[in-house]
Amino acid sequence: MFITTIATTTTGAPCMARTRGEATRTRRGRTHVAGATAVFGTGRAGPSMKPTMTTVSRVMNDACGDAHARCRVVTHATPGAAIDSQTGKMTALGAAIWKFVRPHTIRGTLLGTTAIVSKILMTNPEMISLALVPRALLGLVALLMGNGYIVGINQIYDVDIDKVNKPFLPVASGELSVAAAWAFCAFTAIGGAAIVATNFGTLITQLYCFGLFLGTIYSVPPLRLKQYALPAFMIIACVRGFLLNFGVYHATRAAIGLPFVWSPAITFITIFVTMFATVIAITKDLPDIEGDLKYDIQTFSTRLGVKAVSFIGSGLLLANYVFAIGFFVAN
């Protein structure tokens, strides 16, 4: 890094600068130093060192301190520093967007789709082909973009509530501006719908857009159905449970040239995941009571209380796993 340093002494104390093996001495006024390394001393040359701001400032203070002098350091950053600054901004933006898309929802999408696609391919191994990989990846990207839109639009309209309940979220904390959040949501909604429309046919496109619509009316006024416990629960269970599983199953069978036929395994996965999504819908607001009460958002937690909702959620989850075990034993 190229550094230009100006040392000013108020008492005229001698300062010496060494740069690239050349020394310049002055008794009054200013000493100008330019180079890769610079050392200041009082009457003697110091050891060579890297010209970091900390090192330069420390050595200058030592040089001028004996004479009770005050030193002023002025630095001019090179283009390399500007590049580093831009890289830092891009890294911060990437981290904010990663938080914005709520990684735990991405994991659920990945696990659900992987289970369904794997089951279909295991049942029809002769249909496995590397030619299917690009289309499968496009489908996964579309799902993740739809997921990003739904959780993103919710944060935009919940920013005041999130400042109380989830101040660590990027829009609520100010890490991501509202304008940037809107741009991301528009990109993911339009991009995801375009991918599905060009690769997966009319029915899957309609289901995908219906899922985006449900995610929108969940968060956006005037409907903003999240403020009502029952409609909110039904939307989450439908989108995360039935629509996701049915859509992925239908699209996968169509991609390998098979007609749509329900199978017992896919029926089980759909029921299990829908019930799991129901538990999520009921219990997700347990830690958010303070903000929900403040902004008059009706949830099961605000209406029934934490203890009751905890018992209901635990009971449904236990019943879901008992059902899974019983299904496994019976088949």
Side-chain angles (χ1 to χ4, degrees):
M1 178 179 177
F2 187 92
I3 299 181
T4 300
T5 307
I6 299 174
T8 304
T9 64
T10 58
T11 64
C15 293
M16 183 175 68
R18 172 173 296 176
T19 172
R20 300 182 187 273
E22 298 179 358
T24 303
R25 184 186 302 271
T26 180
R27 293 187 178 277
R28 296 183 186 276
R30 296 180 176 178
T31 300
H32 180 79
V33 183
T37 60
V39 179
F40 298 85
T42 52
R44 67 180 186 277
S48 177
M49 60 185 70
K50 293 182 179 180
T52 63
M53 277 302 303
T54 303
T55 303
V56 172
S57 298
R58 183 175 64 249
V59 176
M60 288 182 66
N61 288 335
D62 290 343
C64 301
D66 293 339
H68 304 288
R70 181 179 63 186
C71 294
R72 177 169 58 90
V73 178
V74 180
T75 64
H76 302 284
T78 63
I83 293 174
D84 290 342
S85 176
Q86 286 297 110
T87 302
K89 290 179 180 178
M90 293 302 295
T91 300
L93 178 62
I97 290 176
W98 178 244
K99 291 168 64 176
F100 186 63
V101 298
R102 308 304 303 277
H104 68 279
T105 63
I106 291 177
R107 287 192 291 268
T109 301
L110 290 175
L111 288 172
T113 55
T114 300
I116 292 175
V117 173
S118 298
K119 180 60 181 176
I120 295 173
L121 295 179
M122 288 169 60
T123 307
N124 304 276
E126 71 281 359
M127 308 298 266
I128 297 176
S129 171
L130 290 178
L132 296 172
V133 173
R135 193 174 181 187
L137 291 177
L138 284 173
L140 181 59
V141 169
L143 286 173
L144 295 179
M145 293 179 81
N147 181 83
Y149 167 77
I150 290 174
V151 299
I153 201 74
N154 183 61
Q155 290 176 66
I156 291 173
Y157 283 94
D158 271 8
V159 62
D160 291 330
I161 300 175
D162 287 339
K163 287 179 180 179
V164 178
N165 293 335
K166 302 182 181 77
F168 55 86
L169 291 178
V171 178
S173 66
E175 293 178 66
L176 191 68
S177 68
V178 174
W182 269 114
F184 180 82
C185 288
F187 170 74
T188 51
I190 296 172
I195 290 174
V196 174
T198 54
N199 290 276
F200 296 100
T202 303
L203 176 61
I204 299 303
T205 301
Q206 290 173 346
L207 289 175
Y208 186 88
C209 292
F210 181 59
L212 296 182
F213 169 74
L214 291 178
T216 301
I217 64 174
Y218 175 85
S219 300
V220 178
L223 294 179
R224 194 163 162 76
L225 296 180
K226 71 164 293 172
Q227 61 189 319
Y228 308 111
L230 189 58
F233 135 73
M234 293 178 66
I235 286 176
I236 293 174
C238 179
V239 173
R240 297 288 181 187
F242 176 76
L243 282 182
L244 176 64
N245 289 275
F246 174 80
V248 171
Y249 178 67
H250 190 286
T252 304
R253 289 188 67 89
I256 61 178
L258 295 176
F260 177 81
V261 177
W262 276 111
S263 71
I266 298 301
T267 301
F268 160 73
I269 292 174
T270 302
I271 293 174
F272 181 86
V273 173
T274 301
M275 180 59 70
F276 202 91
T278 299
V279 175
I280 293 175
I282 292 174
T283 61
K284 72 178 184 65
D285 298 310
L286 283 172
D288 299 338
I289 289 181
E290 182 181 357
D292 290 342
L293 287 173
K294 181 177 180 180
Y295 289 94
D296 196 28
I297 302 297
Q298 299 179 31
T299 66
F300 287 107
S301 298
T302 58
R303 296 178 64 179
L304 303 178
V306 172
K307 186 175 182 180
V309 171
S310 298
F311 276 116
I312 292 172
S314 299
L316 289 174
L317 194 61
L318 178 62
N320 202 30
Y321 279 102
V322 169
F323 161 73
I325 295 171
F327 185 91
F328 176 79
V329 172
N331 292 274

